[in-house]
Amino acid sequence: MPAPSAAAQSTKERILGAAEELFARHGFEGASLRQLTSAAGVNLAAVNYHFGSKDRLVEEVFRRRLDQLNGHRSTALAKVAGLPETTIEDVLAAFIVPALELSHDAGGQLFMRVLVRAFAEDDDTLRKFLSDNYRHVMRMFTSEFARLLPHLTKEEVYWRVDLVTGALIHAMSGIGMIQRRSDVTEHEHRELTAEHLISFSAAGLMAR
Amino acid sequence: MPAPSAAAQSTKERILGAAEELFARHGFEGASLRQLTSAAGVNLAAVNYHFGSKDRLVEEVFRRRLDQLNGHRSTALAKVAGLPETTIEDVLAAFIVPALELSHDAGGQLFMRVLVRAFAEDDDTLRKFLSDNYRHVMRMFTSEFARLLPHLTKEEVYWRVDLVTGALIHAMSGIGMIQRRSDVTEHEHRELTAEHLISFSAAGLMAR
DNA sequence: CGTATGCTCAAACGATCGTTTGAACTCGCC
DNA sequence: GGCGAGTTCAAACGATCGTTTGAGCATACG
């Protein structure tokens, strides 16, 4: 076993990092294992040795990030859920800020593009995997939104939360018109994004 | 030249139809020309004969739909732009309804998934192509929104229109939680989607 | 009728794909 | 030192990729 204190990351971690980037740039089928292992500086056979197959590697890329995102969202929500003084903006912040913070380390925005791709895939196995890893936390948020919006039907809440999700994904994936200006730091841009998303979404959720 | 009055579509049209579906399902690199030509019922070499290359076919798939979408949006906007009695909801309807109507014929929703994929691609040529075909109409809408929201800065308008776009794409691509219930027709679902999108987005645009 | 043109077809091209193989290497441990 | 498990490596596997080729077919025009 190589010493974990060594300067370089482990082979598995290097593969996961390169995979996240290349899957985002070229898609799951567009990124080849040869590109991937070359970018990671590991041998071609290392992917099948450590992950079994390319498909399992794809799942591992998702699991790593989704666990992180779900964890941060859950703890953020737990701090405000059920309290009488909690506002829509508080819950939205618990929903949005952890997602934006995912892009703190370099791979985060790329991961969002991977996620967008994944949902557009027709691969039922992958979609089910994502749904299973995503639904639980989403339920907690929708029920909290429902508590704060008692005049709306359950279905209406689903609709609006889904639209918030769309706006969030769009803003995070960096595929829209809004790009970070060169005169603002990444940190400032993230805070700006959060502010715009929260005020826009809060108004949308409370419509009528 | 085969008679255009014949029952079957032309080879080019059959290829374009199959391409739209398979690109949406499997991505541009994931859908092979062999799958595609087989699904279209044409010979493998027909793609290179009629379109020159697979990349040019991809562009043609986009051009066909984007021209359609841009046209419908422009005429819808022209009916309300600049008028004193025009509301935010009117402009939003001109922005949203033509997009939703794209899914009237079967390929529409699939096309939206293709579009989502395309924006997630790292292919600069493709992104520039899309941007060139998209920006013009977007400018008309943002300036009309800016007229109706004079208290907002230009940058604020950009942000909010971008978030509306994200919600729209998300709702159209069918990748979110909201799916058409089996007890509502596709037409009814489209109207429901438009209503939710417009009321949600109008509130978001007018926030504060 | 003969020929030119537009199109379709089966077959093949070289390149690249994910995966497998078996030998070589690197350790901790007896 | 030497065995053995864990890992890396170059090489090769068959399959499939986008593209090209050249023959064959259909229709239009002289």
Side-chain angles (χ1 to χ4, degrees):
Chain A
M1 185 193 318
S5 60
Q9 309 169 45
S10 73
T11 297
K12 280 187 79 163
E13 282 165 353
R14 282 217 298 272
I15 290 174
L16 284 170
E20 192 165 63
E21 171 158 352
L22 286 172
F23 287 158
R25 289 200 197 286
H26 306 296
F28 305 115
E29 314 190 65
S32 74
L33 292 186
R34 282 170 180 81
Q35 292 173 7
L36 201 157
T37 51
S38 172
V42 304
N43 186 270
L44 169 62
V47 169
N48 281 279
Y49 177 78
H50 285 285
F51 296 94
S53 70
K54 186 181 181 180
D55 285 344
R56 300 261 297 275
L57 170 62
V58 170
E59 287 196 3
E60 210 54 46
V61 167
F62 281 111
R63 193 188 312 274
R64 198 173 60 147
R65 290 288 182 181
L66 282 182
D67 285 355
Q68 185 184 346
L69 176 59
N70 284 334
H72 289 173
R73 274 180 165 169
S74 294
T75 61
L77 178 62
K79 288 179 185 164
V80 297
L83 302 181
E85 70 271 22
T86 294
T87 65
I88 289 280
E89 281 85 353
D90 294 333
V91 183
L92 276 172
F95 186 67
I96 288 170
V97 172
L100 292 177
E101 280 174 349
L102 210 66
S103 59
H104 191 67
D105 54 287
Q109 177 169 323
L110 288 174
F111 173 72
M112 272 298 132
R113 278 161 67 173
V114 177
L115 202 59
V116 168
R117 279 179 178 282
F119 274 113
E121 293 277 337
D122 198 41
D123 185 334
D124 282 341
T125 308
L126 181 56
R127 294 195 68 167
K128 185 175 185 326
F129 172 82
L130 290 173
S131 178
D132 290 348
N133 281 272
Y134 201 69
R135 188 174 299 169
H136 172 248
V137 178
M138 282 306 285
R139 272 197 210 287
M140 304 193 322
F141 275 95
T142 50
S143 71
E144 182 65 13
F145 280 124
R147 182 180 75 89
L148 297 174
L149 299 164
H151 61 292
L152 297 182
T153 66
K154 207 83 163 131
E155 198 183 342
E156 190 91 36
V157 174
Y158 283 141
W159 265 100
R160 299 193 183 186
V161 172
D162 212 22
L163 298 182
V164 171
T165 303
L168 172 62
I169 290 177
H170 188 73
M172 288 195 62
S173 64
I175 62 186
M177 302 186 299
I178 297 294
Q179 310 280 351
R180 178 171 68 87
R181 291 186 349 215
S182 54
D183 60 337
V184 298
T185 67
E186 198 169 329
H187 176 76
E188 289 165 348
H189 179 72
R190 201 161 59 244
E191 290 203 342
L192 259 171
T193 306
E195 285 171 21
H196 282 106
L197 266 170
I198 289 174
S199 66
F200 176 89
S201 301
L205 284 172
M206 293 186 288
R208 255 201 309 155
Chain B
M1 186 191 319
S5 60
Q9 308 170 47
S10 75
T11 298
K12 280 188 80 163
E13 282 166 352
R14 282 216 299 272
I15 291 174
L16 283 170
E20 192 165 62
E21 170 157 352
L22 285 173
F23 288 159
R25 290 202 196 285
H26 306 296
F28 306 115
E29 314 190 65
S32 73
L33 292 185
R34 283 169 179 81
Q35 292 173 5
L36 202 158
T37 51
S38 173
V42 304
N43 185 269
L44 169 61
V47 169
N48 281 280
Y49 176 79
H50 285 285
F51 295 95
S53 70
K54 186 181 181 181
D55 285 343
R56 301 260 296 275
L57 170 61
V58 170
E59 287 195 4
E60 210 54 43
V61 168
F62 281 111
R63 192 187 314 274
R64 197 174 59 149
R65 290 288 183 181
L66 282 182
D67 285 355
Q68 186 182 347
L69 176 60
N70 284 334
H72 290 173
R73 274 180 167 170
S74 294
T75 62
L77 178 62
K79 289 179 184 164
V80 296
L83 301 181
E85 70 271 23
T86 293
T87 65
I88 290 281
E89 281 84 354
D90 294 332
V91 184
L92 276 172
F95 186 66
I96 288 171
V97 172
L100 293 176
E101 279 175 349
L102 211 66
S103 58
H104 191 68
D105 54 288
Q109 178 169 323
L110 288 176
F111 173 72
M112 273 296 133
R113 278 162 67 174
V114 177
L115 202 59
V116 168
R117 279 179 178 283
F119 274 113
E121 293 277 337
D122 197 41
D123 185 334
D124 281 340
T125 308
L126 181 56
R127 294 194 68 167
K128 186 176 184 327
F129 171 83
L130 290 174
S131 179
D132 290 347
N133 281 272
Y134 201 70
R135 189 174 298 170
H136 172 247
V137 178
M138 282 306 284
R139 272 197 208 288
M140 305 192 323
F141 275 96
T142 50
S143 71
E144 182 65 14
F145 280 124
R147 182 179 75 89
L148 297 173
L149 299 164
H151 61 292
L152 297 183
T153 66
K154 206 78 162 138
E155 198 184 342
E156 190 91 37
V157 174
Y158 283 142
W159 266 101
R160 300 192 184 186
V161 171
D162 212 22
L163 297 182
V164 171
T165 304
L168 172 61
I169 290 177
H170 188 74
M172 287 196 62
S173 64
I175 63 185
M177 302 186 300
I178 297 294
Q179 310 280 353
R180 178 171 67 87
R181 289 186 353 214
S182 54
D183 60 337
V184 298
T185 67
E186 197 169 329
H187 176 76
E188 288 166 349
H189 179 73
R190 200 160 61 244
E191 291 204 341
L192 258 171
T193 305
E195 285 172 20
H196 282 105
L197 267 169
I198 290 175
S199 66
F200 175 89
S201 301
L205 283 172
M206 294 186 287
R208 257 200 308 155

